[in-house]
Amino acid sequence: MLIRTVAASLALLVVLAVTGAVAGPAWEPEPVGEHLRPATTSTAIGGTTPGAGAPGTTRSVSRR
């Protein structure tokens, strides 16, 4: 019984390995010629959402 389990596990492993090798992505990466340059060194998150209020404020919701 143990030999059958090991043989079945190895057979499944081989089938999955071959399937992965055949169905895997055929990537051909190319080097990047021009790298992105950030406009600023600041890592602050900015911007506002209209009607959102200041950070840390709470709002109450009432049912009508």
Side-chain angles (χ1 to χ4, degrees):
M1 184 68 174
L2 179 63
I3 294 174
R4 287 185 193 174
T5 304
V6 170
S9 298
L10 289 176
L12 180 62
L13 177 69
V14 169
V15 168
L16 289 175
V18 169
T19 302
V22 171
W27 292 341
E28 294 180 17
E30 298 177 10
V32 177
E34 192 174 318
H35 294 282
L36 296 175
R37 303 270 183 225
T40 179
T41 58
S42 173
T43 58
I45 299 173
T48 58
T49 302
T57 59
T58 59
R59 292 181 170 237
S60 61
V61 177
S62 61
R63 294 182 185 223
R64 292 186 183 179

